[in-house]
Amino acid sequence: SDCLVILPTIFREEALQDTIIKGKLFVAVNENGTIIGYKKLFILDDPEECVSTLKDEIRCIDGNLEECGEHNNGEYAFNQNDTYIYLGSDYTLPPYRGQGVNAALMREAMNLLRDDTIMRVKSKQSPNIILAFGLVNANMSRKHSIIASFVAGISTISDESYNFYAFEAYKPSFDPDATECIPNPNGNSRGQGCIVQIPIKEGAL
């Protein structure tokens, strides 16, 4: 797929189990209990994982800035005191697309993450909440709906305004037969690593 990250075969089951155990995956089911969609969303609370994700996947650290929001002044600067939330891959089965499944998953995921997010913001005294996500060019039309859903999900503790930054990036690609889980230097699916920087509302916590 040009839009989904697919790991080498021998790592797929372990990676999925790890994602589920750590509560990073949210799923939608139909009336029969069949999974019809999923979304990967979690707080980047491990400092090494955070920096690695931002540097190697989103490419907002030492990367090439391509696009800024209308009201941004200057370039994005990584701040270890910010609270980072990572939006990974998501997917909805074709027969259920256009029915609000993905938006509902985002709302429910943010509801479930809200308490942990607030706790993380308080403990770090974060000035901002950061949403980090990547999109290939084929999915770039989803950018604004992703941002709107996320901003709405944290509206009780954040300002309505936000800064947006996009960096030159590629969807990670892997050799399906590889024995090491190391992505190719540049995937063949061009896209952007996106950063949404949302200030914490004064007096909200």
Side-chain angles (χ1 to χ4, degrees), residues 64-171:
N64 296 320
L65 182 66
E66 289 192 329
E67 178 185 350
C68 282
E70 294 179 359
H71 306 291
N72 291 355
N73 294 312
E75 296 190 357
Y76 170 73
F78 171 69
N79 183 348
Q80 63 181 358
N81 292 324
D82 285 337
T83 293
Y84 290 84
I85 297 179
Y86 175 77
L87 172 62
S89 59
D90 56 21
Y91 183 79
T92 302
L93 289 175
Y96 295 91
R97 292 175 186 172
Q99 300 178 33
V101 173
N102 196 47
L105 274 171
M106 177 65 96
R107 286 195 302 271
E108 289 302 313
M110 287 307 304
N111 284 337
L112 292 169
L113 286 177
R114 183 173 289 114
D115 288 347
D116 286 343
T117 300
I118 292 173
M119 183 172 63
R120 173 64 58 175
V121 168
K122 285 181 176 179
S123 66
K124 296 180 69 175
Q125 298 186 332
S126 300
N128 304 291
I129 293 177
I130 307 291
L131 175 66
F133 65 98
L135 287 175
V136 296
N137 287 343
N139 277 346
M140 209 59 70
S141 62
R142 298 184 54 210
K143 184 188 303 179
H144 297 294
S145 63
I146 289 172
I147 294 172
S149 295
F150 183 77
V151 171
I154 60 170
S155 60
T156 57
I157 62 170
S158 67
D159 287 336
E160 294 181 359
S161 62
Y162 63 85
N163 293 324
F164 174 78
Y165 307 87
F167 299 83
E168 178 183 0
Y170 297 82
K171 177 182 72 67

